[in-house]
Amino acid sequence: MQAIWNGESTLIVAMIVAYIAFTSWLTFRLRSKTSDQFMTAARAMPAVVVGVLMMSEFVGAKSTVGTAQEAFQSGMAAGWAVLGASIGFLLFGLLMVKKLYNSGEYTISAAIAQKFGKSTMLTVSVIMIYALLLVNVGNYVSGAAAIATALHVSLPVAMCIIAVVSTFYYVFGGMKGVAWVTILHSAFKIVGICIIFAVAMSLTGGIAPMQAKLPAFYFSWDGKIGFATIFAWTFGTVGAIFSTQFIVQAISSTPSANDARKATFYAAAFCLPLGFLLALIGIAAKYLYPDMNSLYALPVFLEKMPPLASAFVTTSLVASIFVSVCTVALAIASLVVRDFYVPYFQPSPERELKMTRVFSIIIGIVPLVFVFFIPEILKLSFFTRALRLSITIVAMMGFYLPLFSTNRGATAGLIGAALSTTVWYLLGNPFGIDNMYIAAVTPLIVMAIERVALPRTPAAQPDAFIQRTQT
């Protein structure tokens, strides 16, 4: 793969540096000037922009490279990793988006608090912050590999570049700036994927030669992956979409509940073709280079492109990294400010915006600490998705099964899910049962036991702690 860079390094570095400089300037021009703009873009984002924003949250650098890699090994079925997001956004739009939007909140924890109460809100917030911090640790590491190769720097330096650039984006941009700059990031990413796909198809001569040469499972719906794994992927992705903080924050930036629903449908439509394209790229790599390391299923095509196209595609991969980091970090900052800082300190709007930026800088640094000193924590990345699924189960019960809407039951269910899922994960998923299913079932069992076996407590009433922040 080093041959990719021998004659093109200067052009690639120049394009990446120019891209970072331009998007940083654009972010500053579009920066949020009020706390309301920082958190929800003053609820003025067009539905299509929010749709792109949500798509980028679930089809980032890791999904882009990872789907092609899995397709190299398992066939078209790898596309379910992205198609699951399309299904998730569709279901989210049909079942939950209006309820969350009409709650008037921009954090998942505060929306759930309206159904359950303060302790449930704090439990949800802590679990979500922890999960998202781990997600960004993974984003820093996976992104650093690409940037280190492109810019010929060490991995620690590459991680610092990601931290500095992405932190600048969301500290100044907030939701308003990040949303508009993400349109540019996403355009680069999608055009880059299309260029790789076009090169791959030109080298293979189309799909028919691949079908003739490769085993039949490469073009079956379940490939070598199997129904159980595909279902777990889809189930986990749907659950993550329903409860991920940034998705709730994104829909809150639209002018109305109907616009929020339209945004989810746009996101579903944007994800749909990407799953097929990435899977076909991976299969094409298998057809052309059957003995190659599957990790290079997507980047191997860079060496077959003209220098300018190769530089553009590399820049598009870097753009994907910044999108992923920015959206996750912005979500963490919102939870910290809305659920902890504002209720306790009750700041003025100006003070709130200033402290939000201070917290955002800290949030950008924290993943570096975990990466440098506790690298084993990356093994928990799938566990964090299971934790978010447990939040979804509790939220759905609160909105659709009010009989179970007790603060005590919801809090116990979430804590029980966190403990049981952790133990199950550490035991290596005994009996072949994925920890994702443990995360889904535990809240149901605990909340049902609480409802049947223990006296009914009065419904939670909003108090000063969980009142919606006026920004």
Side-chain angles (χ1 to χ4, degrees):
M1 295 300 296
Q2 291 300 318
I4 296 176
W5 313 108
N6 286 343
E8 304 169 13
S9 294
T10 302
L11 179 60
I12 290 171
V13 170
M15 184 170 286
I16 291 174
V17 171
Y19 180 82
I20 291 174
F22 175 73
T23 52
S24 297
W25 170 82
L26 187 61
T27 298
F28 189 76
R29 285 292 303 272
L30 297 172
R31 67 189 182 278
S32 297
K33 297 180 180 179
T34 67
S35 185
D36 197 26
Q37 289 180 346
F38 193 99
M39 296 301 184
T40 63
R43 298 186 183 270
M45 284 289 107
V48 66
V49 173
V50 176
V52 172
L53 200 59
M54 292 192 292
M55 176 274 293
S56 296
E57 168 75 358
F58 276 84
V59 188
K62 288 189 294 183
S63 297
T64 301
V65 176
T67 301
Q69 180 181 8
E70 186 63 32
F72 183 96
Q73 302 168 329
S74 306
M76 282 293 295
W80 283 104
V82 176
L83 296 176
S86 186
I87 295 171
F89 282 121
L90 181 62
L91 293 176
F92 183 58
L94 293 173
L95 299 176
M96 279 287 285
V97 68
K98 284 192 172 183
K99 292 181 179 294
L100 287 172
Y101 187 93
N102 289 331
S103 74
E105 296 291 352
Y106 60 82
T107 66
I108 181 65
S109 49
I112 290 176
Q114 293 184 1
K115 297 295 180 180
F116 295 108
K118 183 174 74 174
S119 68
T120 302
M121 180 185 85
L122 294 178
T123 303
V124 168
S125 192
V126 169
I127 291 173
M128 185 63 69
I129 289 170
Y130 173 63
L132 293 179
L133 278 173
L134 294 182
V135 170
N136 252 1
V137 171
N139 286 334
Y140 276 40
V141 172
S142 61
I147 289 179
T149 304
L151 300 182
H152 298 283
V153 296
S154 65
L155 284 175
V157 171
M159 291 176 192
C160 290
I161 291 173
I162 292 172
V164 171
V165 175
S166 59
T167 299
F168 180 88
Y169 284 155
Y170 68 83
V171 165
F172 286 99
M175 175 61 78
K176 177 189 172 186
V178 166
W180 287 110
V181 173
T182 293
I183 294 294
L184 181 59
H185 289 324
S186 298
F188 261 71
K189 176 174 62 180
I190 292 171
V191 172
I193 292 172
C194 290
I195 291 173
I196 295 173
F197 177 76
V199 171
M201 290 299 103
S202 68
L203 292 173
T204 62
I207 296 175
M210 295 190 290
Q211 288 179 310
K213 180 179 178 179
L214 295 174
F217 73 80
Y218 269 89
F219 292 91
S220 65
W221 72 271
D222 60 347
K224 267 191 174 180
I225 298 173
F227 171 76
T229 300
I230 291 174
F231 182 78
W233 281 358
T234 305
F235 187 50
T237 301
V238 170
I241 287 172
F242 272 52
S243 65
T244 295
Q245 164 57 28
F246 186 75
I247 299 301
V248 177
Q249 195 167 354
I251 65 165
S252 298
S253 68
T254 58
S256 68
N258 286 332
D259 287 313
R261 173 172 282 183
K262 289 178 184 177
T264 64
F265 295 156
Y266 281 128
F270 295 149
C271 289
L272 188 61
L274 294 179
F276 291 108
L277 292 179
L278 292 169
L280 285 171
I281 288 170
I283 293 174
K286 179 68 175 180
Y287 172 79
L288 295 168
Y289 316 103
D291 299 321
M292 179 187 68
N293 185 332
S294 63
L295 179 64
Y296 299 110
L298 187 143
V300 70
F301 293 105
L302 294 175
E303 65 184 356
K304 305 299 180 182
M305 299 178 187
L308 186 61
S310 179
F312 183 94
V313 172
T314 303
T315 303
S316 74
L317 294 176
V318 172
S320 294
I321 296 164
F322 293 137
V323 169
S324 300
V325 173
C326 284
T327 55
V328 172
L330 182 59
I332 297 171
S334 301
L335 287 167
V336 170
V337 172
R338 168 62 182 87
D339 295 346
F340 296 97
Y341 176 68
V342 169
Y344 282 119
F345 294 94
Q346 300 182 351
S348 66
E350 295 76 16
R351 178 70 176 174
E352 180 182 340
L353 179 60
K354 180 180 178 180
M355 291 307 300
T356 298
R357 288 186 164 137
V358 171
F359 291 136
S360 296
I361 293 172
I362 297 172
I363 290 164
I365 295 172
V366 168
L368 290 175
V369 177
F370 282 93
V371 166
F372 291 145
F373 298 106
I374 318 176
E376 296 84 2
I377 207 164
L378 290 176
K379 298 176 182 177
L380 297 177
S381 59
F382 288 105
F383 164 65
T384 66
R385 180 168 288 188
L387 287 179
R388 285 181 282 168
L389 175 61
S390 68
I391 294 173
T392 294
I393 298 298
V394 171
M396 292 292 285
M397 292 182 74
F399 283 112
Y400 287 100
L401 295 173
L403 182 67
F404 294 89
S405 298
T406 68
N407 189 24
R408 179 176 59 195
T411 303
L414 286 166
I415 294 173
L419 293 175
S420 62
T421 306
T422 301
V423 171
W424 202 263
Y425 177 82
L426 293 175
L427 291 175
N429 295 332
F431 313 111
I433 300 174
D434 195 278
N435 62 81
M436 196 75 69
Y437 300 118
I438 302 301
V441 171
T442 301
L444 296 173
I445 295 175
V446 172
M447 293 175 75
I449 292 174
E450 187 274 341
R451 178 64 183 91
V452 173
L454 298 175
R456 178 78 166 174
T457 58
Q461 297 296 322
D463 58 26
F465 195 94
I466 61 174
Q467 289 295 331
R468 182 181 174 215
T469 306
Q470 299 297 324
T471 55

